[in-house]
Amino acid sequence: MIKVAPSILSADYVNLQKDIELVDKGGAEYLHIDIMDGSFVPSISFGPGFVKAIRPITNMVLDVHLMVQNPEHIIPDFIDAGADIIGVQVEATQHIHRALQIIKNGGVKAEVVINPGTPVEMIKPVLHMVDQVLVMTVNPGFGGQKFLPETVDKIAELNQIKQDKGYDFDIEIDGGVNNQTVVDCYKAGATVAVAGSYVYGADDPVSRINAIKDATK
Ligand code: DX5
Ligand code: ZN
């Protein structure tokens, strides 16, 4: 069964605590927090202060996805804010080893993220040092986009490397995930599913978490 990471990008910001407690009690393992800088992606979302404000109100794993150009300078602020996992986009830095090392040195789990147009080859040099790989299943920047099925082969390719080398990183998917699109990803080796609009766009978000889990039994 896949782990579920609701994305609070699609939550009700005025009632955020309620929306976080709902998915926590509903069995979600991670809380996915999308950080957008208006440069790497067109939108602007949250900063480190947002993560810091959430930290005391939940024990959920805070899974912070940095869609930020040159993230090295801001990573320490997210470490201090209480993130449990920090992901950096390989396309956003000239120095991916350095960025991941800053995260690890802060005692936080390190994740590398690849866009749909980026080949797995690009992240091979850092796979030995990550706790999680995020395979974007849409181009990042917005919630509610359509899943790109051509990303499934990349999940399988990554999973093959994971088996061959004996790595134990989680493989996360993000974008357009629902109880149907998750199935092939899970079969290909995905272990964590981010879901924003599918979970928070529903009248009963917990039923959507269960639907993702039921589809990957
Ligand atoms: C997209 C973000 C996602 C987003 C997913 O740039 O990285 O985490 O919240 O939203 P859905 O599940 O609606 O595609
Ligand atoms: Zn995300």
Side-chain angles (χ1 to χ4, degrees):
M1 201 183 294
I2 206 159
K3 288 176 268 193
V4 179
S7 170
I8 51 172
L9 190 66
S10 294
D12 175 0
Y13 301 164
V14 176
N15 295 292
L16 202 52
Q17 185 160 7
K18 178 174 144 282
D19 268 5
I20 292 170
E21 284 170 0
L22 187 68
V23 296
D24 188 4
K25 291 199 182 96
E29 285 86 356
Y30 294 3
L31 190 67
H32 187 79
I33 307 177
D34 286 304
I35 310 297
M36 303 179 174
D37 69 347
S39 173
F40 182 73
V41 291
S43 313
I44 292 179
S45 60
F46 322 118
F50 184 77
V51 176
K52 193 174 178 184
I54 290 172
R55 182 68 287 174
I57 66 161
T58 183
N59 289 321
M60 291 182 81
V61 172
L62 300 185
D63 178 37
V64 175
H65 174 193
L66 300 183
M67 284 158 274
V68 174
Q69 200 69 48
N70 300 320
E72 293 85 351
H73 65 285
I74 198 75
I75 289 169
D77 291 3
F78 285 97
I79 294 171
D80 292 346
D84 295 297
I85 304 171
I86 297 178
V88 285
Q89 297 263 168
V90 71
E91 306 86 357
T93 174
Q94 306 278 356
H95 312 291
I96 188 63
H97 289 81
R98 182 181 299 154
L100 292 167
Q101 203 60 58
I102 296 168
I103 299 169
K104 288 166 74 87
N105 290 347
V108 171
K109 288 189 172 169
E111 173 190 73
V112 66
V113 187
I114 49 171
N115 278 340
T118 303
V120 169
E121 193 67 29
M122 281 285 288
I123 55 169
K124 273 190 185 166
V126 294
L127 289 179
H128 68 280
M129 65 189 290
V130 296
D131 299 288
Q132 185 161 287
V133 178
L134 170 50
V135 178
M136 289 305 300
T137 43
V138 299
N139 285 283
F142 309 95
Q145 300 182 85
K146 196 168 176 292
F147 178 83
L148 297 171
E150 56 270 38
T151 56
V152 174
D153 283 351
K154 286 168 57 181
I155 299 166
E157 186 184 347
L158 193 58
N159 194 41
Q160 188 63 53
I161 298 170
K162 179 176 161 179
Q163 308 305 328
D164 290 349
K165 301 265 189 185
Y167 296 147
D168 68 351
F169 52 73
D170 272 295
I171 301 177
E172 186 174 50
I173 53 170
D174 183 9
V177 173
N178 57 41
N179 65 331
Q180 294 178 348
T181 56
V182 76
V183 175
D184 286 345
C185 297
Y186 181 68
K187 285 183 188 155
T191 56
V192 185
V194 175
S197 52
Y198 180 66
V199 168
Y200 280 118
D203 290 339
D204 179 8
V206 174
S207 72
R208 295 287 172 90
I209 294 170
N210 290 333
I212 292 173
K213 289 190 169 284
D214 286 347
T216 57
K217 268 182 179 162

Tab-separated table of all heavy atoms in Angstrom, residues 22-23 57-58 63 88 96 114 125 136 143 145 150 184 191 193 202 207 214:
chain	number	residue	atom	x	y	z
A	22	LEU	N	-7.527	16.802	9.877
A	22	LEU	CA	-8.405	15.889	9.136
A	22	LEU	C	-7.613	14.798	8.418
A	22	LEU	O	-7.914	13.607	8.538
A	22	LEU	CB	-9.195	16.723	8.113
A	22	LEU	CG	-10.297	16.048	7.325
A	22	LEU	CD1	-11.462	15.680	8.244
A	22	LEU	CD2	-10.808	17.001	6.229
A	23	VAL	N	-6.583	15.188	7.698
A	23	VAL	CA	-5.818	14.179	6.926
A	23	VAL	C	-4.904	13.363	7.837
A	23	VAL	O	-4.606	12.197	7.542
A	23	VAL	CB	-5.018	14.803	5.753
A	23	VAL	CG1	-5.974	15.408	4.738
A	23	VAL	CG2	-3.987	15.823	6.221
A	57	ILE	N	1.767	22.330	15.457
A	57	ILE	CA	0.378	21.862	15.509
A	57	ILE	C	0.195	20.446	14.963
A	57	ILE	O	-0.910	19.929	14.971
A	57	ILE	CB	-0.600	22.827	14.782
A	57	ILE	CG1	-0.337	22.867	13.269
A	57	ILE	CG2	-0.537	24.233	15.396
A	57	ILE	CD1	-1.522	23.406	12.469
A	58	THR	N	1.273	19.806	14.501
A	58	THR	CA	1.120	18.441	13.991
A	58	THR	C	2.398	17.628	14.164
A	58	THR	O	3.507	18.183	14.139
A	58	THR	CB	0.703	18.437	12.500
A	58	THR	OG1	0.508	17.080	12.084
A	58	THR	CG2	1.753	19.083	11.610
A	63	ASP	N	6.856	17.247	4.584
A	63	ASP	CA	7.538	16.910	3.333
A	63	ASP	C	7.563	18.185	2.479
A	63	ASP	O	6.558	18.556	1.866
A	63	ASP	CB	6.692	15.790	2.677
A	63	ASP	CG	7.182	15.322	1.341
A	63	ASP	OD1	8.404	15.249	1.145
A	63	ASP	OD2	6.314	14.984	0.484
A	88	VAL	N	14.863	19.168	-3.356
A	88	VAL	CA	15.352	20.212	-4.261
A	88	VAL	C	15.273	19.717	-5.705
A	88	VAL	O	15.587	18.569	-5.998
A	88	VAL	CB	16.817	20.629	-3.944
A	88	VAL	CG1	16.869	21.486	-2.699
A	88	VAL	CG2	17.740	19.442	-3.802
A	96	ILE	N	23.983	20.296	-7.228
A	96	ILE	CA	23.008	19.419	-6.565
A	96	ILE	C	23.612	18.677	-5.371
A	96	ILE	O	22.942	18.519	-4.340
A	96	ILE	CB	22.346	18.461	-7.595
A	96	ILE	CG1	21.190	17.689	-6.955
A	96	ILE	CG2	23.356	17.509	-8.231
A	96	ILE	CD1	20.035	18.543	-6.486
A	114	ILE	N	12.819	15.498	-9.916
A	114	ILE	CA	13.006	15.696	-11.362
A	114	ILE	C	11.679	16.011	-12.044
A	114	ILE	O	10.656	15.402	-11.783
A	114	ILE	CB	13.673	14.490	-12.084
A	114	ILE	CG1	13.012	13.156	-11.741
A	114	ILE	CG2	15.151	14.452	-11.835
A	114	ILE	CD1	13.516	12.002	-12.624
A	125	PRO	N	24.054	10.555	-10.394
A	125	PRO	CA	25.210	10.822	-9.522
A	125	PRO	C	24.874	11.077	-8.052
A	125	PRO	O	25.770	11.042	-7.214
A	125	PRO	CB	25.836	12.089	-10.143
A	125	PRO	CG	25.355	12.103	-11.552
A	125	PRO	CD	23.974	11.525	-11.509
A	136	MET	N	8.270	14.135	-10.650
A	136	MET	CA	7.109	14.978	-10.953
A	136	MET	C	6.301	14.330	-12.078
A	136	MET	O	6.847	13.958	-13.109
A	136	MET	CB	7.545	16.387	-11.367
A	136	MET	CG	8.101	17.254	-10.243
A	136	MET	SD	6.992	17.438	-8.819
A	136	MET	CE	5.545	18.212	-9.564
A	143	GLY	N	-1.549	23.344	-8.718
A	143	GLY	CA	-2.347	22.162	-8.415
A	143	GLY	C	-3.352	21.931	-9.533
A	143	GLY	O	-3.567	22.811	-10.381
A	145	GLN	N	-3.460	19.914	-12.197
A	145	GLN	CA	-3.096	19.618	-13.583
A	145	GLN	C	-3.279	18.127	-13.882
A	145	GLN	O	-3.396	17.300	-12.989
A	145	GLN	CB	-1.636	20.003	-13.840
A	145	GLN	CG	-1.322	21.472	-13.612
A	145	GLN	CD	0.133	21.767	-13.946
A	145	GLN	OE1	0.497	22.011	-15.092
A	145	GLN	NE2	0.981	21.735	-12.924
A	150	GLU	N	3.553	9.452	-19.448
A	150	GLU	CA	4.911	9.104	-19.890
A	150	GLU	C	5.923	9.120	-18.746
A	150	GLU	O	7.057	8.674	-18.915
A	150	GLU	CB	5.369	10.024	-21.035
A	150	GLU	CG	5.325	11.515	-20.763
A	150	GLU	CD	3.981	12.149	-21.135
A	150	GLU	OE1	2.923	11.516	-20.911
A	150	GLU	OE2	3.993	13.295	-21.620
A	184	ASP	N	-0.687	2.566	-11.904
A	184	ASP	CA	0.505	2.223	-12.697
A	184	ASP	C	1.792	2.712	-12.016
A	184	ASP	O	2.836	2.060	-12.121
A	184	ASP	CB	0.415	2.821	-14.109
A	184	ASP	CG	-0.578	2.059	-14.982
A	184	ASP	OD1	-0.967	0.938	-14.595
A	184	ASP	OD2	-0.966	2.594	-16.040
A	191	THR	N	6.381	4.698	-3.929
A	191	THR	CA	6.066	4.323	-2.546
A	191	THR	C	5.336	5.431	-1.768
A	191	THR	O	4.815	5.183	-0.688
A	191	THR	CB	7.362	3.941	-1.781
A	191	THR	OG1	8.287	5.038	-1.853
A	191	THR	CG2	8.015	2.703	-2.388
A	193	ALA	N	2.613	8.859	-2.502
A	193	ALA	CA	1.804	9.598	-3.472
A	193	ALA	C	1.372	10.943	-2.893
A	193	ALA	O	0.670	10.985	-1.882
A	193	ALA	CB	0.572	8.792	-3.853
A	202	ALA	N	-12.321	17.422	-2.442
A	202	ALA	CA	-13.487	16.572	-2.192
A	202	ALA	C	-14.234	17.018	-0.943
A	202	ALA	O	-13.644	17.608	-0.028
A	202	ALA	CB	-13.031	15.127	-2.017
A	207	SER	N	-12.071	10.073	2.467
A	207	SER	CA	-12.489	9.016	1.524
A	207	SER	C	-11.527	8.946	0.343
A	207	SER	O	-11.293	7.877	-0.228
A	207	SER	CB	-13.920	9.253	1.030
A	207	SER	OG	-13.947	10.360	0.146
A	214	ASP	N	-6.691	2.062	-1.174
A	214	ASP	CA	-7.408	0.854	-1.654
A	214	ASP	C	-6.935	0.457	-3.050
A	214	ASP	O	-6.879	-0.724	-3.388
A	214	ASP	CB	-8.918	1.110	-1.695
A	214	ASP	CG	-9.522	1.129	-0.300
A	214	ASP	OD1	-8.828	0.704	0.657
A	214	ASP	OD2	-10.669	1.592	-0.157
